[in-house]
Amino acid sequence: MKILVTGGAGFIGSAVVRQAVARGHGVVNVDCLTYAACLENVAGVAESPLYAFEQVDIRDRAALDRVFAAHRPDAVMHLAAESHVDRSIDAPGAFIETNVNGTYNMLEAARAHWTRMGKPASFRFHHISTDEVFGSLPADKAVKFTEDTAYDPRSPYSASKAASDHLVRAWAETYGLPVVLTNCSNNYGPYHFPEKLIPVII
Protein backbone atom coordinates (compact mmCIF):
# COMPACT_ATOMS: atom_id res chain seq x y z
CA MET A 1 0.00 0.00 0.00
CA LYS A 2 1.20 3.52 -0.78
CA ILE A 3 0.12 6.15 1.75
CA LEU A 4 0.25 9.91 1.25
CA VAL A 5 0.94 11.49 4.65
CA THR A 6 0.51 15.24 5.08
CA GLY A 7 2.55 16.87 7.81
CA GLY A 8 4.94 13.94 7.79
CA ALA A 9 7.90 15.96 9.07
CA GLY A 10 6.02 17.01 12.21
CA PHE A 11 5.84 15.26 15.56
CA ILE A 12 2.95 12.84 15.03
CA GLY A 13 3.26 12.72 11.25
CA SER A 14 6.89 11.63 11.37
CA ALA A 15 5.96 8.81 13.75
CA VAL A 16 3.35 7.67 11.21
CA VAL A 17 5.90 7.86 8.39
CA ARG A 18 8.56 5.90 10.29
CA GLN A 19 6.10 3.18 11.33
CA ALA A 20 4.51 2.87 7.89
CA VAL A 21 7.90 2.44 6.19
CA ALA A 22 8.96 -0.05 8.89
CA ARG A 23 5.82 -2.07 8.07
CA GLY A 24 6.69 -2.15 4.37
CA HIS A 25 4.32 0.51 3.06
CA GLY A 26 5.25 3.10 0.47
CA VAL A 27 5.02 6.61 1.91
CA VAL A 28 4.78 10.00 0.24
CA ASN A 29 5.55 12.64 2.84
CA VAL A 30 3.89 15.96 1.95
CA ASP A 31 5.08 18.79 4.18
CA CYS A 32 5.74 22.49 3.58
CA LEU A 33 8.31 22.53 6.42
CA THR A 34 6.93 25.23 8.68
CA TYR A 35 8.55 26.07 12.03
CA ALA A 36 7.32 22.87 13.73
CA ALA A 37 8.54 20.48 11.00
CA CYS A 38 11.98 18.94 10.78
CA LEU A 39 13.29 16.48 8.22
CA GLU A 40 15.61 15.05 10.86
CA ASN A 41 12.45 13.45 12.27
CA VAL A 42 12.36 11.12 9.24
CA ALA A 43 16.10 10.84 8.61
CA GLY A 44 16.00 7.17 9.53
CA VAL A 45 13.78 6.34 6.54
CA ALA A 46 14.89 9.05 4.11
CA GLU A 47 17.05 6.67 2.06
CA SER A 48 14.44 3.92 1.88
CA PRO A 49 13.11 3.11 -1.61
CA LEU A 50 9.67 3.10 0.02
CA TYR A 51 9.93 6.79 0.97
CA ALA A 52 9.42 9.97 -1.04
CA PHE A 53 9.31 13.58 0.14
CA GLU A 54 7.38 16.43 -1.48
CA GLN A 55 7.80 19.94 -0.07
CA VAL A 56 4.28 21.13 -0.80
CA ASP A 57 1.86 23.42 1.02
CA ILE A 58 -1.64 21.94 1.31
CA ARG A 59 -3.00 25.40 0.50
CA ASP A 60 -1.59 24.95 -3.03
CA ARG A 61 -4.18 22.88 -4.92
CA ALA A 62 -2.19 22.69 -8.17
CA ALA A 63 0.82 21.28 -6.33
CA LEU A 64 -1.37 18.72 -4.58
CA ASP A 65 -2.84 17.59 -7.90
CA ARG A 66 0.71 17.11 -9.21
CA VAL A 67 1.67 15.01 -6.19
CA PHE A 68 -1.41 12.78 -6.46
CA ALA A 69 -0.83 12.26 -10.18
CA ALA A 70 2.86 11.49 -9.72
CA HIS A 71 2.55 9.08 -6.78
CA ARG A 72 -0.97 7.59 -7.10
CA PRO A 73 -1.48 6.79 -3.39
CA ASP A 74 -3.88 4.11 -2.16
CA ALA A 75 -4.75 6.09 0.96
CA VAL A 76 -4.28 9.49 2.58
CA MET A 77 -3.45 10.25 6.19
CA HIS A 78 -4.09 13.97 6.64
CA LEU A 79 -2.19 15.24 9.69
CA ALA A 80 -0.94 18.61 8.41
CA ALA A 81 -2.37 21.40 10.57
CA GLU A 82 -1.61 24.46 12.58
CA SER A 83 -2.02 23.04 16.06
CA HIS A 84 -0.93 25.37 18.86
CA VAL A 85 -3.81 26.97 20.77
CA ASP A 86 -1.83 30.02 21.93
CA ARG A 87 -0.64 30.71 18.38
CA SER A 88 -4.24 30.46 17.16
CA ILE A 89 -5.24 33.21 19.57
CA ASP A 90 -2.44 35.47 18.34
CA ALA A 91 -2.83 34.73 14.61
CA PRO A 92 -6.11 32.94 13.80
CA GLY A 93 -5.91 33.57 10.06
CA ALA A 94 -3.15 31.02 9.54
CA PHE A 95 -5.32 28.39 11.23
CA ILE A 96 -8.26 29.07 8.93
CA GLU A 97 -6.06 29.03 5.84
CA THR A 98 -4.28 25.76 6.70
CA ASN A 99 -6.79 23.77 8.72
CA VAL A 100 -9.95 24.73 6.81
CA ASN A 101 -8.85 25.77 3.31
CA GLY A 102 -5.97 23.29 3.29
CA THR A 103 -8.29 20.43 4.25
CA TYR A 104 -10.71 21.50 1.53
CA ASN A 105 -7.86 21.35 -1.01
CA MET A 106 -6.83 17.91 0.25
CA LEU A 107 -10.39 16.60 0.01
CA GLU A 108 -10.83 17.89 -3.53
CA ALA A 109 -7.43 16.63 -4.70
CA ALA A 110 -8.10 13.24 -3.09
CA ARG A 111 -11.60 13.07 -4.59
CA ALA A 112 -10.29 13.84 -8.08
CA HIS A 113 -7.59 11.19 -7.67
CA TRP A 114 -10.10 8.63 -6.30
CA THR A 115 -12.42 9.32 -9.24
CA ARG A 116 -9.58 8.85 -11.75
CA MET A 117 -8.83 5.50 -10.07
CA GLY A 118 -12.42 4.38 -10.66
CA LYS A 119 -13.57 5.06 -7.08
CA PRO A 120 -12.11 1.92 -5.46
CA ALA A 121 -13.83 0.96 -2.20
CA SER A 122 -10.43 0.25 -0.67
CA PHE A 123 -9.34 3.91 -0.85
CA ARG A 124 -9.32 5.85 2.43
CA PHE A 125 -9.00 9.50 3.39
CA HIS A 126 -8.02 9.44 7.07
CA HIS A 127 -8.46 12.84 8.70
CA ILE A 128 -6.64 13.16 12.00
CA SER A 129 -8.40 15.67 14.25
CA THR A 130 -8.35 16.58 17.94
CA ASP A 131 -10.46 16.05 21.03
CA GLU A 132 -10.46 19.83 21.47
CA VAL A 133 -13.38 20.09 19.02
CA PHE A 134 -15.51 18.78 21.92
CA GLY A 135 -14.63 21.68 24.22
CA SER A 136 -13.58 21.33 27.84
CA LEU A 137 -14.33 18.41 30.13
CA PRO A 138 -16.05 19.25 33.42
CA ALA A 139 -14.19 18.78 36.69
CA ASP A 140 -16.09 15.51 37.22
CA LYS A 141 -13.50 12.94 36.12
CA ALA A 142 -16.23 10.38 35.43
CA VAL A 143 -17.27 12.34 32.33
CA LYS A 144 -15.47 11.40 29.11
CA PHE A 145 -15.66 12.42 25.48
CA THR A 146 -17.13 9.88 23.06
CA GLU A 147 -17.86 9.90 19.34
CA ASP A 148 -21.36 11.12 20.24
CA THR A 149 -20.20 14.16 22.23
CA ALA A 150 -21.48 17.43 20.78
CA TYR A 151 -18.95 19.75 19.18
CA ASP A 152 -18.14 22.77 21.38
CA PRO A 153 -14.86 24.36 20.20
CA ARG A 154 -13.44 27.07 22.48
CA SER A 155 -10.46 28.50 20.57
CA PRO A 156 -9.63 29.50 16.99
CA TYR A 157 -7.57 26.30 16.76
CA SER A 158 -10.36 23.97 17.87
CA ALA A 159 -12.91 25.86 15.77
CA SER A 160 -10.74 25.44 12.67
CA LYS A 161 -10.37 21.73 13.35
CA ALA A 162 -14.12 21.38 13.93
CA ALA A 163 -14.72 23.06 10.59
CA SER A 164 -12.32 20.67 8.88
CA ASP A 165 -14.07 17.69 10.51
CA HIS A 166 -17.41 18.91 9.13
CA LEU A 167 -15.90 19.23 5.64
CA VAL A 168 -14.59 15.66 5.80
CA ARG A 169 -18.01 14.32 6.85
CA ALA A 170 -19.69 16.37 4.13
CA TRP A 171 -17.39 14.97 1.43
CA ALA A 172 -18.20 11.46 2.64
CA GLU A 173 -21.95 12.08 2.60
CA THR A 174 -22.12 14.18 -0.56
CA TYR A 175 -19.54 12.51 -2.79
CA GLY A 176 -19.16 9.08 -1.20
CA LEU A 177 -15.45 9.62 -0.53
CA PRO A 178 -14.36 6.81 1.84
CA VAL A 179 -13.20 8.63 4.97
CA VAL A 180 -12.04 7.82 8.47
CA LEU A 181 -12.10 10.61 11.06
CA THR A 182 -10.26 10.26 14.36
CA ASN A 183 -10.08 12.67 17.29
CA CYS A 184 -6.97 12.08 19.37
CA SER A 185 -6.03 13.66 22.68
CA ASN A 186 -2.68 15.27 23.47
CA ASN A 187 0.39 13.22 22.64
CA TYR A 188 4.01 13.50 23.66
CA GLY A 189 7.25 11.63 23.04
CA PRO A 190 10.42 11.67 20.95
CA TYR A 191 10.65 14.43 18.30
CA HIS A 192 8.04 16.54 20.10
CA PHE A 193 8.40 20.22 19.16
CA PRO A 194 9.84 22.06 22.18
CA GLU A 195 7.14 24.74 22.48
CA LYS A 196 4.83 22.13 24.02
CA LEU A 197 4.62 21.76 27.82
CA ILE A 198 6.38 18.44 28.44
CA PRO A 199 9.43 19.00 26.20
CA VAL A 200 9.74 22.57 27.51
CA ILE A 201 9.91 21.29 31.07
CA ILE A 202 12.31 18.47 30.19
Side-chain angles (χ1 to χ4, degrees):
M1 174 183 286
K2 183 181 287 187
I3 307 168
L4 188 154
V5 178
T6 67
F11 165 50
I12 299 177
S14 64
V16 170
V17 168
R18 294 190 304 270
Q19 184 166 340
V21 171
R23 292 185 175 183
H25 298 296
V27 172
V28 183
N29 179 1
V30 173
D31 200 303
C32 68
L33 300 181
T34 60
Y35 76 96
C38 179
L39 287 177
E40 291 181 13
N41 294 351
V42 291
V45 299
E47 301 303 317
S48 170
L50 295 173
Y51 176 81
F53 173 68
E54 294 278 0
Q55 186 171 350
V56 165
D57 192 322
I58 62 171
R59 297 173 298 179
D60 185 343
R61 172 62 193 280
L64 290 175
D65 287 339
R66 178 188 60 77
V67 170
F68 273 94
H71 295 281
R72 300 178 55 82
D74 304 300
V76 172
M77 294 188 72
H78 178 40
L79 294 105
E82 296 285 347
S83 65
H84 196 273
V85 173
D86 291 346
R87 286 180 183 268
S88 81
I89 294 168
D90 294 334
F95 286 71
I96 302 305
E97 291 171 10
T98 298
N99 298 354
V100 181
N101 297 338
T103 298
Y104 163 73
N105 284 336
M106 282 298 303
L107 285 165
E108 281 292 85
R111 182 168 73 94
H113 168 66
W114 175 62
T115 300
R116 285 192 302 271
M117 294 170 65
K119 298 186 176 181
S122 59
F123 183 82
R124 290 293 182 276
F125 185 100
H126 181 185
H127 178 64
I128 290 81
S129 187
T130 173
D131 65 341
E132 294 196 37
V133 299
F134 302 124
S136 299
L137 281 172
D140 180 359
K141 294 182 179 179
V143 178
K144 298 178 181 179
F145 292 139
T146 72
E147 288 82 356
D148 297 321
T149 301
Y151 274 44
D152 188 22
R154 305 289 182 92
S155 69
Y157 162 60
S158 58
S160 70
K161 290 299 288 184
S164 67
D165 289 5
H166 293 322
L167 289 175
V168 171
R169 286 194 174 94
W171 259 243
E173 291 292 330
T174 304
Y175 303 110
L177 185 69
V179 307
V180 176
L181 198 159
T182 55
N183 300 88
C184 62
S185 60
N186 289 337
N187 295 274
Y188 65 93
Y191 305 97
H192 204 175
F193 189 72
E195 75 179 350
K196 305 293 187 176
L197 176 64
I198 291 175
V200 164
I201 293 172
I202 291 173

